[in-house]
Amino acid sequence: MAAARRVARVTMPPLLDVVPDLSAGACRDVADPDVFFPEVDDEVGAARAKRICTGCPVRSACLALALASDEAHGIFGGLDPKERGSWSRRVAAAVALTPVGGAA
């Protein structure tokens, strides 16, 4: 009889304990916030929003908030929903491959 395989359950802590202060964001001076919500196939609109995010002092916090809230729309932290999903999967895979306790 084959031995039963045990699967460990891993619970991820929340990514953010508090909502970050995004008031210094490059987006604060954009007159039309819809710029950050281009149509799905609007590559020009998405590129324009991403350019605004380039060099933003709170870009990382903005991205972390979008990931923590599983934001399905818009440009946050310079990434669109598809890019955030891809980035999130790569991070999850890297964490899964990291040995526990630093042992190799």
Side-chain angles (χ1 to χ4, degrees):
M1 182 171 169
R5 181 175 161 177
R6 295 187 66 181
V7 176
R9 291 184 184 250
V10 177
T11 302
M12 294 293 292
L15 293 175
L16 300 172
D17 291 331
V18 296
V19 176
D21 178 10
L22 302 177
S23 62
C27 57
R28 73 184 176 277
D29 296 325
V30 175
D32 182 10
D34 286 342
V35 166
F36 297 98
F37 295 91
E39 294 296 322
V40 175
D41 294 326
D42 182 4
E43 293 179 21
V44 173
R48 181 171 35 151
K50 291 175 185 181
R51 267 194 311 277
I52 295 168
C53 297
T54 302
C56 177
V58 297
R59 184 176 179 177
S60 295
C62 180
L63 177 58
L65 181 60
L67 292 170
S69 62
D70 200 25
E71 182 60 57
H73 305 284
I75 307 298
F76 289 88
L79 300 180
D80 63 38
K82 186 175 178 181
E83 292 166 330
R84 288 193 301 273
S86 176
W87 186 87
S88 199
R89 285 188 296 279
R90 285 194 310 269
V91 169
V95 168
L97 296 175
T98 302
V100 175

XYZ file of all heavy atoms in Angstrom:
745
model
N 0.847 -1.179 0.000
C 0.000 0.000 0.000
C 0.890 1.240 0.000
O 1.839 1.337 0.750
C -0.892 -0.022 1.235
C -1.837 1.118 1.293
S -2.979 0.789 2.650
C -3.720 2.344 2.726
N 0.603 2.155 -0.874
C 1.403 3.377 -0.999
C 1.153 4.283 0.205
O 0.041 4.369 0.720
C 1.046 4.123 -2.270
N 2.232 4.940 0.631
C 2.116 5.861 1.758
C 1.316 7.093 1.344
O 1.426 7.562 0.218
C 3.507 6.284 2.229
N 0.518 7.564 2.272
C -0.271 8.770 1.996
C 0.658 9.973 1.941
O 1.576 10.102 2.738
C -1.323 8.965 3.073
N 0.430 10.811 1.006
C 1.256 12.011 0.843
C 0.623 13.155 1.616
O -0.557 13.441 1.467
C 1.336 12.362 -0.636
C 2.180 13.544 -0.915
C 2.293 13.745 -2.390
N 2.710 15.120 -2.607
C 2.959 15.628 -3.772
N 2.824 14.901 -4.847
N 3.335 16.875 -3.890
N 1.429 13.810 2.446
C 0.938 14.926 3.235
C 1.264 16.219 2.508
O 2.361 16.402 2.019
C 1.573 14.936 4.611
C 1.163 13.718 5.414
C 1.642 13.830 6.800
N 0.930 14.940 7.431
C 1.123 15.326 8.654
N 1.996 14.712 9.403
N 0.455 16.345 9.157
N 0.305 17.087 2.476
C 0.480 18.379 1.834
C 0.389 19.454 2.915
O -0.584 19.520 3.660
C -0.592 18.623 0.754
C -0.453 20.007 0.153
C -0.526 17.544 -0.306
N 1.434 20.260 3.001
C 1.431 21.342 3.979
C 0.581 22.498 3.461
O 0.641 22.841 2.293
C 2.854 21.826 4.239
N -0.165 23.090 4.335
C -0.949 24.262 3.978
C -0.183 25.489 4.430
O 0.230 25.580 5.570
C -2.315 24.231 4.629
C -3.175 23.157 4.040
C -4.556 23.219 4.657
N -5.321 22.112 4.148
C -6.329 22.236 3.300
N -6.692 23.411 2.893
N -6.971 21.185 2.886
N -0.003 26.386 3.524
C 0.719 27.614 3.819
C -0.263 28.770 3.782
O -0.996 28.932 2.822
C 1.860 27.843 2.798
C 2.549 29.156 3.072
C 2.821 26.678 2.823
N -0.252 29.531 4.834
C -1.108 30.715 4.884
C -0.231 31.934 4.732
O 0.717 32.119 5.489
C -1.861 30.788 6.225
O -2.617 29.593 6.375
C -2.778 31.990 6.262
N -0.522 32.741 3.739
C 0.253 33.952 3.494
C -0.252 35.055 4.408
O -1.460 35.262 4.521
C 0.115 34.405 2.042
C 0.711 33.442 1.033
S 2.482 33.327 1.152
C 2.936 34.958 0.607
N 0.661 35.774 5.062
C 0.220 36.926 5.850
C -0.238 38.027 4.904
O 0.129 38.033 3.734
C 1.498 37.348 6.594
C 2.608 36.851 5.733
C 2.093 35.599 5.067
N -1.031 38.962 5.394
C -1.439 40.057 4.515
C -0.218 40.827 4.034
O 0.744 40.989 4.769
C -2.326 40.933 5.406
C -2.255 40.376 6.774
C -1.539 39.082 6.732
N -0.249 41.259 2.781
C 0.880 42.003 2.233
C 1.027 43.363 2.892
O 2.121 43.881 3.031
C 0.712 42.182 0.726
C 0.801 40.918 -0.106
C 0.491 41.232 -1.560
C 2.167 40.286 0.013
N -0.069 43.925 3.296
C -0.039 45.255 3.894
C -0.853 45.248 5.174
O -1.972 44.770 5.202
C -0.646 46.291 2.940
C 0.033 46.449 1.591
C -0.799 47.352 0.706
C 1.416 47.018 1.761
N -0.286 45.787 6.249
C -1.027 45.923 7.494
C -1.818 47.226 7.509
O -2.845 47.328 8.157
C -0.075 45.888 8.688
C 0.542 44.511 8.880
O -0.111 43.517 8.517
O 1.672 44.441 9.368
N -1.303 48.232 6.824
C -1.975 49.524 6.735
C -1.941 49.997 5.293
O -1.084 49.597 4.522
C -1.290 50.593 7.630
C -1.397 50.226 9.089
C 0.142 50.796 7.243
N -2.876 50.824 4.955
C -2.900 51.389 3.603
C -1.797 52.438 3.520
O -1.720 53.334 4.360
C -4.267 52.013 3.289
C -4.258 52.679 1.929
C -5.356 50.954 3.360
N -0.908 52.320 2.534
C 0.193 53.278 2.428
C -0.289 54.677 2.016
O -1.339 54.823 1.392
C 1.078 52.679 1.335
C 0.158 51.852 0.508
C -0.888 51.333 1.469
N 0.497 55.661 2.376
C 0.199 57.037 1.988
C 0.682 57.241 0.552
O 1.878 57.233 0.287
C 0.917 58.005 2.925
C 0.693 59.457 2.547
O -0.165 59.727 1.681
O 1.379 60.324 3.112
N -0.245 57.392 -0.347
C 0.088 57.554 -1.763
C -0.052 59.002 -2.211
O -0.038 59.290 -3.408
C -0.804 56.648 -2.619
C -0.740 55.153 -2.308
C -1.719 54.391 -3.177
C 0.661 54.609 -2.470
N -0.151 59.924 -1.268
C -0.408 61.321 -1.611
C 0.732 61.981 -2.385
O 0.526 63.012 -3.017
C -0.716 62.129 -0.353
O 0.393 62.129 0.529
N 1.923 61.396 -2.358
C 3.049 61.958 -3.108
C 3.150 61.348 -4.502
O 4.126 61.573 -5.218
C 4.352 61.737 -2.342
N 2.144 60.599 -4.913
C 2.177 59.918 -6.201
C 2.202 60.859 -7.387
O 1.642 61.960 -7.345
N 2.854 60.411 -8.449
C 2.922 61.197 -9.679
C 1.530 61.395 -10.272
O 1.300 62.345 -11.018
C 3.835 60.506 -10.687
N 0.604 60.550 -9.899
C -0.761 60.645 -10.425
C -1.570 61.770 -9.794
O -2.610 62.149 -10.312
C -1.477 59.319 -10.215
S -1.518 58.774 -8.498
N -1.095 62.326 -8.698
C -1.875 63.336 -7.967
C -2.174 64.579 -8.813
O -3.164 65.259 -8.575
C -1.182 63.733 -6.675
C 0.038 64.605 -6.870
C 0.759 64.905 -5.561
N 1.963 65.661 -5.789
C 3.137 65.163 -6.135
N 3.270 63.855 -6.300
N 4.179 65.929 -6.323
N -1.315 64.869 -9.784
C -1.499 66.059 -10.609
C -2.180 65.772 -11.951
O -2.304 66.669 -12.775
C -0.138 66.730 -10.863
C 0.481 67.245 -9.566
O -0.272 67.692 -8.681
O 1.713 67.176 -9.442
N -2.614 64.539 -12.144
C -3.281 64.178 -13.396
C -4.745 64.612 -13.297
O -5.463 64.209 -12.378
C -3.167 62.660 -13.660
C -3.965 62.261 -14.886
C -1.708 62.262 -13.815
N -5.165 65.446 -14.219
C -6.518 66.003 -14.181
C -7.604 64.944 -14.357
O -8.669 65.033 -13.758
C -6.663 67.081 -15.255
N -7.343 63.939 -15.182
C -8.348 62.922 -15.479
C -7.870 61.550 -15.002
O -7.048 60.907 -15.654
C -8.615 62.886 -16.984
C -9.685 61.886 -17.371
O -10.366 61.332 -16.477
O -9.850 61.659 -18.581
N -8.366 61.044 -13.876
C -7.919 59.749 -13.362
C -8.255 58.578 -14.281
O -7.676 57.500 -14.149
C -8.636 59.620 -12.022
C -9.703 60.634 -12.023
C -9.340 61.688 -13.014
N -9.164 58.800 -15.241
C -9.486 57.733 -16.194
C -8.280 57.344 -17.043
O -8.281 56.281 -17.664
C -10.648 58.139 -17.091
C -11.975 58.115 -16.354
O -12.057 57.467 -15.281
O -12.924 58.749 -16.842
N -7.259 58.198 -17.060
C -6.017 57.883 -17.782
C -5.474 56.547 -17.302
O -4.913 55.779 -18.080
C -4.960 59.000 -17.555
C -3.574 58.567 -17.978
C -5.381 60.258 -18.278
N -5.664 56.238 -16.025
C -5.123 55.013 -15.443
C -6.033 53.801 -15.628
O -5.721 52.715 -15.138
C -4.810 55.240 -13.958
C -3.760 56.291 -13.774
C -4.115 57.594 -13.481
C -2.413 55.997 -13.970
C -3.148 58.583 -13.356
C -1.453 56.975 -13.853
C -1.814 58.268 -13.536
N -7.126 53.996 -16.362
C -8.054 52.909 -16.646
C -8.362 52.851 -18.138
O -9.513 53.032 -18.554
C -9.338 53.082 -15.820
C -9.094 52.961 -14.353
C -8.792 54.089 -13.599
C -9.112 51.723 -13.735
C -8.539 53.988 -12.246
C -8.854 51.604 -12.376
C -8.567 52.732 -11.631
N -7.320 52.601 -18.964
C -7.541 52.529 -20.410
C -8.354 51.291 -20.779
O -8.441 50.331 -19.997
C -6.117 52.439 -20.975
C -5.323 51.803 -19.885
C -5.934 52.316 -18.601
N -8.955 51.329 -21.952
C -9.679 50.156 -22.449
C -8.717 48.980 -22.540
O -7.491 49.155 -22.657
C -10.270 50.449 -23.835
C -11.347 51.513 -23.817
C -12.567 51.090 -23.022
O -12.963 49.909 -23.075
O -13.125 51.959 -22.332
N -9.240 47.776 -22.508
C -8.427 46.558 -22.456
C -7.347 46.508 -23.527
O -6.199 46.184 -23.242
C -9.327 45.301 -22.535
C -8.488 44.041 -22.614
C -10.260 45.250 -21.339
N -7.660 46.811 -24.761
C -6.679 46.710 -25.845
C -6.051 48.050 -26.224
O -5.420 48.160 -27.275
C -7.333 46.072 -27.085
C -7.714 44.621 -26.833
O -6.992 43.941 -26.086
O -8.739 44.175 -27.379
N -6.187 49.045 -25.397
C -5.645 50.375 -25.685
C -4.194 50.462 -25.217
O -3.904 50.942 -24.124
C -6.503 51.450 -25.007
C -6.021 52.862 -25.309
O -5.065 53.034 -26.100
O -6.596 53.802 -24.730
N -3.285 50.002 -26.055
C -1.863 49.988 -25.701
C -1.292 51.402 -25.576
O -0.426 51.652 -24.746
C -1.071 49.182 -26.726
C -1.409 47.702 -26.691
C -0.655 46.897 -27.726
O 0.392 47.364 -28.215
O -1.136 45.799 -28.052
N -1.775 52.320 -26.399
C -1.298 53.707 -26.332
C -1.715 54.338 -25.006
O -0.911 54.980 -24.326
C -1.825 54.531 -27.537
C -1.482 55.995 -27.385
C -1.264 53.975 -28.843
N -2.969 54.144 -24.621
C -3.461 54.672 -23.347
C -2.724 54.063 -22.164
O -2.370 54.757 -21.206
N -2.482 52.755 -22.221
C -1.761 52.079 -21.139
C -0.328 52.602 -21.051
O 0.182 52.845 -19.954
C -1.764 50.573 -21.365
N 0.303 52.797 -22.193
C 1.678 53.311 -22.202
C 1.737 54.717 -21.614
O 2.675 55.057 -20.887
C 2.237 53.304 -23.628
N 0.729 55.528 -21.902
C 0.691 56.890 -21.362
C 0.592 56.848 -19.829
O 1.320 57.547 -19.124
C -0.492 57.653 -21.940
C -0.566 59.082 -21.438
C -1.592 59.899 -22.168
N -2.762 59.104 -22.535
C -3.982 59.557 -22.671
N -4.216 60.834 -22.504
N -4.982 58.782 -22.996
N -0.271 55.996 -19.303
C -0.416 55.863 -17.851
C 0.874 55.330 -17.223
O 1.319 55.824 -16.187
C -1.579 54.933 -17.532
N 1.489 54.360 -17.863
C 2.729 53.770 -17.333
C 3.864 54.790 -17.316
O 4.707 54.775 -16.413
C 3.118 52.534 -18.136
C 2.156 51.375 -17.928
C 2.499 50.221 -18.833
C 1.471 49.106 -18.708
N 1.808 47.965 -19.570
N 3.882 55.682 -18.309
C 4.904 56.748 -18.326
C 4.758 57.669 -17.120
O 5.737 58.116 -16.543
C 4.809 57.561 -19.619
C 5.706 57.062 -20.721
C 5.847 58.070 -21.862
N 4.582 58.616 -22.360
C 3.801 58.009 -23.254
N 4.145 56.850 -23.752
N 2.679 58.584 -23.646
N 3.538 57.929 -16.728
C 3.298 58.769 -15.553
C 3.858 58.071 -14.308
O 4.427 58.718 -13.430
C 1.794 59.078 -15.391
C 1.312 59.927 -16.574
C 1.513 59.779 -14.067
C -0.192 60.053 -16.682
N 3.740 56.771 -14.254
C 4.223 56.002 -13.099
C 5.752 55.917 -13.043
O 6.313 55.718 -11.960
C 3.669 54.584 -13.131
S 1.868 54.474 -12.993
N 6.400 56.071 -14.174
C 7.858 55.967 -14.209
C 8.468 57.017 -13.287
O 8.182 58.191 -13.385
C 8.386 56.167 -15.642
O 7.773 55.187 -16.488
C 9.892 56.011 -15.702
N 9.298 56.583 -12.391
C 9.968 57.505 -11.477
C 9.099 57.998 -10.332
O 9.525 58.853 -9.555
N 7.889 57.492 -10.198
C 6.999 57.915 -9.116
C 7.585 57.480 -7.775
O 7.999 56.328 -7.622
C 5.614 57.285 -9.301
S 4.478 57.696 -7.970
N 7.603 58.388 -6.793
C 8.199 58.049 -5.499
C 7.415 57.013 -4.693
O 7.960 56.423 -3.766
C 8.241 59.396 -4.758
C 7.199 60.225 -5.399
C 7.144 59.780 -6.836
N 6.154 56.778 -5.023
C 5.367 55.784 -4.284
C 4.958 54.610 -5.182
O 4.018 53.873 -4.861
C 4.121 56.437 -3.623
C 4.546 57.467 -2.592
C 3.199 57.049 -4.663
N 5.680 54.408 -6.248
C 5.340 53.357 -7.207
C 5.272 51.976 -6.556
O 4.334 51.223 -6.777
C 6.360 53.355 -8.348
C 6.044 52.361 -9.434
C 7.027 52.476 -10.569
N 6.713 51.483 -11.579
C 7.356 51.362 -12.719
N 8.340 52.189 -13.012
N 7.006 50.447 -13.583
N 6.249 51.645 -5.727
C 6.265 50.328 -5.074
C 5.077 50.154 -4.138
O 4.458 49.087 -4.105
C 7.563 50.132 -4.292
O 8.655 50.106 -5.168
N 4.770 51.192 -3.368
C 3.632 51.119 -2.441
C 2.325 50.990 -3.213
O 1.415 50.246 -2.802
C 3.604 52.343 -1.544
N 2.208 51.689 -4.319
C 1.018 51.627 -5.165
C 0.839 50.210 -5.719
O -0.262 49.648 -5.690
C 1.146 52.647 -6.287
S -0.247 52.699 -7.421
N 1.928 49.623 -6.197
C 1.885 48.261 -6.722
C 1.525 47.281 -5.612
O 0.692 46.391 -5.808
C 3.232 47.891 -7.354
C 3.354 46.466 -7.891
C 2.291 46.174 -8.931
C 4.749 46.252 -8.460
N 2.129 47.435 -4.439
C 1.830 46.544 -3.315
C 0.355 46.607 -2.935
O -0.272 45.578 -2.659
C 2.708 46.899 -2.119
N -0.206 47.800 -2.940
C -1.626 47.960 -2.613
C -2.501 47.267 -3.655
O -3.458 46.576 -3.301
C -1.980 49.442 -2.522
C -3.420 49.763 -2.153
C -3.770 49.189 -0.784
C -3.640 51.262 -2.168
N -2.161 47.426 -4.924
C -2.938 46.781 -5.989
C -2.850 45.257 -5.879
O -3.843 44.555 -6.082
C -2.447 47.239 -7.359
N -1.678 44.739 -5.537
C -1.516 43.292 -5.381
C -2.264 42.790 -4.156
O -2.921 41.745 -4.201
C -0.031 42.933 -5.289
C 0.779 43.144 -6.564
C 2.259 42.994 -6.280
C 0.336 42.184 -7.658
N -2.177 43.517 -3.055
C -2.838 43.102 -1.820
C -4.357 43.115 -1.963
O -5.044 42.271 -1.395
C -2.417 44.015 -0.670
N -4.871 44.049 -2.738
C -6.320 44.151 -2.914
C -6.799 43.395 -4.149
O -7.985 43.426 -4.474
C -6.746 45.618 -2.991
O -6.148 46.245 -4.106
N -5.861 42.724 -4.829
C -6.186 41.946 -6.029
C -6.959 42.796 -7.038
O -7.982 42.388 -7.575
C -6.966 40.686 -5.654
C -6.915 39.634 -6.749
O -5.961 39.639 -7.555
O -7.842 38.797 -6.798
N -6.425 44.000 -7.266
C -7.043 44.957 -8.184
C -7.072 44.364 -9.596
O -6.034 43.996 -10.137
C -6.273 46.270 -8.170
C -6.850 47.341 -9.049
C -8.264 47.718 -8.675
O -8.491 48.107 -7.531
O -9.146 47.630 -9.554
N -8.250 44.271 -10.182
C -8.413 43.619 -11.488
C -8.388 44.587 -12.663
O -8.399 44.147 -13.813
C -9.725 42.840 -11.505
N -8.363 45.894 -12.393
C -8.435 46.870 -13.470
C -7.407 47.968 -13.263
O -6.945 48.209 -12.155
C -9.834 47.493 -13.529
C -10.924 46.483 -13.650
N -11.209 45.836 -14.820
C -11.770 45.977 -12.727
C -12.188 44.982 -14.622
N -12.547 45.049 -13.359
N -7.074 48.642 -14.317
C -6.257 49.845 -14.226
C -4.759 49.620 -14.136
O -4.273 48.506 -14.002
N -4.051 50.738 -14.218
C -2.594 50.760 -14.116
C -2.263 51.184 -12.691
O -2.665 52.252 -12.241
C -1.971 51.771 -15.113
C -2.463 51.518 -16.545
C -0.458 51.758 -15.020
C -2.098 50.171 -17.131
N -1.558 50.350 -11.983
C -1.122 50.632 -10.618
C 0.345 50.266 -10.510
O 0.745 49.166 -10.915
C -1.923 49.821 -9.593
C -3.333 50.280 -9.442
C -4.334 49.773 -10.245
C -3.663 51.231 -8.494
C -5.643 50.198 -10.116
C -4.964 51.669 -8.350
C -5.956 51.152 -9.162
N 1.147 51.169 -9.971
C 2.572 50.883 -9.837
C 3.248 50.660 -11.172
O 4.278 49.999 -11.253
N 2.652 51.171 -12.225
C 3.237 51.037 -13.555
C 2.934 49.723 -14.251
O 3.476 49.452 -15.322
N 2.073 48.899 -13.670
C 1.728 47.611 -14.280
C 0.227 47.511 -14.518
O -0.570 47.971 -13.702
C 2.165 46.453 -13.382
C 3.647 46.335 -13.059
C 3.890 45.123 -12.167
C 4.496 46.250 -14.318
N -0.138 46.857 -15.616
C -1.548 46.609 -15.895
C -1.949 45.288 -15.222
O -1.096 44.585 -14.681
C -1.813 46.603 -17.408
C -1.083 45.503 -18.157
O -0.962 44.369 -17.638
O -0.628 45.762 -19.288
N -3.227 44.935 -15.215
C -3.667 43.717 -14.517
C -2.949 42.441 -14.975
O -2.582 41.603 -14.145
C -5.161 43.636 -14.835
C -5.563 45.038 -15.104
C -4.365 45.683 -15.757
N -2.729 42.309 -16.265
C -2.055 41.109 -16.777
C -0.608 41.059 -16.269
O -0.126 40.005 -15.843
C -2.090 41.114 -18.308
C -1.548 39.862 -18.934
C -1.727 39.903 -20.441
C -1.142 38.655 -21.087
N -1.296 38.690 -22.535
N 0.074 42.187 -16.292
C 1.461 42.239 -15.818
C 1.531 41.984 -14.316
O 2.436 41.297 -13.844
C 2.084 43.602 -16.135
C 2.278 43.833 -17.614
C 2.574 45.280 -17.956
O 2.109 46.204 -17.239
O 3.261 45.496 -18.961
N 0.565 42.510 -13.565
C 0.542 42.264 -12.121
C 0.338 40.789 -11.834
O 0.972 40.221 -10.946
C -0.551 43.095 -11.446
C -0.225 44.565 -11.369
C -1.155 45.314 -10.440
N -2.565 45.256 -10.780
C -3.185 46.095 -11.609
N -2.519 47.061 -12.207
N -4.481 45.972 -11.828
N -0.534 40.132 -12.600
C -0.766 38.702 -12.404
C 0.477 37.890 -12.709
O 0.840 36.981 -11.962
N 1.150 38.231 -13.793
C 2.376 37.536 -14.171
C 3.453 37.739 -13.118
O 4.128 36.800 -12.703
C 2.857 38.052 -15.533
O 4.078 37.472 -15.883
N 3.600 38.975 -12.654
C 4.597 39.306 -11.636
C 4.293 38.548 -10.349
O 5.168 37.979 -9.721
C 4.584 40.818 -11.395
C 5.655 41.293 -10.483
C 6.923 41.634 -10.827
C 5.553 41.496 -9.072
N 7.612 42.043 -9.712
C 6.787 41.962 -8.625
C 4.522 41.329 -8.160
C 7.029 42.257 -7.285
C 4.762 41.625 -6.832
C 5.998 42.079 -6.416
N 3.042 38.518 -9.977
C 2.611 37.846 -8.761
C 2.898 36.346 -8.824
O 3.367 35.746 -7.859
C 1.115 38.088 -8.570
O 0.718 37.861 -7.275
N 2.653 35.728 -9.980
C 2.930 34.293 -10.137
C 4.419 33.999 -10.070
O 4.833 33.015 -9.476
C 2.337 33.783 -11.456
C 0.826 33.631 -11.421
C 0.282 32.947 -12.660
N 0.506 33.703 -13.881
C -0.232 34.726 -14.290
N -1.248 35.124 -13.561
N 0.022 35.344 -15.411
N 5.245 34.887 -10.649
C 6.697 34.689 -10.591
C 7.203 34.790 -9.156
O 8.031 33.996 -8.724
C 7.426 35.701 -11.472
C 7.335 35.400 -12.954
C 8.333 36.210 -13.779
N 8.330 37.626 -13.499
C 7.585 38.540 -14.122
N 6.749 38.160 -15.063
N 7.657 39.818 -13.814
N 6.681 35.748 -8.415
C 7.083 35.903 -7.015
C 6.652 34.682 -6.213
O 7.418 34.143 -5.415
C 6.502 37.204 -6.414
C 6.683 37.237 -4.903
C 7.161 38.407 -7.057
N 5.429 34.222 -6.417
C 4.935 33.055 -5.695
C 5.777 31.825 -6.009
O 6.107 31.042 -5.108
C 3.468 32.795 -6.045
N 6.173 31.662 -7.262
C 7.017 30.525 -7.635
C 8.386 30.634 -6.986
O 8.932 29.636 -6.500
C 7.158 30.456 -9.153
N 8.950 31.834 -6.935
C 10.252 32.022 -6.313
C 10.180 31.737 -4.811
O 11.085 31.108 -4.248
C 10.752 33.440 -6.552
N 9.105 32.156 -4.168
C 8.940 31.903 -2.735
C 8.795 30.403 -2.498
O 9.375 29.861 -1.555
C 7.711 32.676 -2.189
C 7.344 32.210 -0.797
C 8.000 34.163 -2.197
N 8.065 29.716 -3.364
C 7.874 28.279 -3.210
C 9.188 27.517 -3.353
O 9.370 26.462 -2.759
C 6.854 27.779 -4.233
N 10.114 28.052 -4.131
C 11.391 27.386 -4.351
C 12.438 27.746 -3.305
O 13.500 27.140 -3.266
C 11.929 27.726 -5.744
C 11.073 27.216 -6.908
C 11.635 27.725 -8.228
C 11.016 25.706 -6.912
N 12.161 28.741 -2.475
C 13.117 29.174 -1.467
C 13.112 28.171 -0.312
O 12.078 27.895 0.269
C 12.758 30.576 -0.923
O 12.724 31.471 -2.021
C 13.759 31.042 0.116
N 14.285 27.604 0.023
C 14.346 26.636 1.128
C 13.976 27.283 2.452
O 14.324 28.422 2.720
C 15.810 26.194 1.158
C 16.427 26.717 -0.095
C 15.567 27.818 -0.603
N 13.274 26.551 3.286
C 12.886 27.021 4.606
C 14.120 27.057 5.495
O 14.920 26.144 5.508
C 11.812 26.104 5.213
C 11.489 26.514 6.640
C 10.572 26.081 4.350
N 14.304 28.134 6.228
C 15.432 28.268 7.136
C 16.747 28.530 6.441
O 17.803 28.450 7.056
N 16.718 28.814 5.143
C 17.943 29.122 4.408
C 18.793 27.911 4.077
O 19.869 28.033 3.545
N 18.324 26.715 4.406
C 19.090 25.502 4.110
C 19.010 25.191 2.619
O 18.003 25.404 1.974
C 18.534 24.330 4.908
N 20.092 24.705 2.092
C 20.105 24.394 0.662
C 19.745 22.980 0.377
O 19.741 22.123 1.130
C 21.487 24.692 0.093
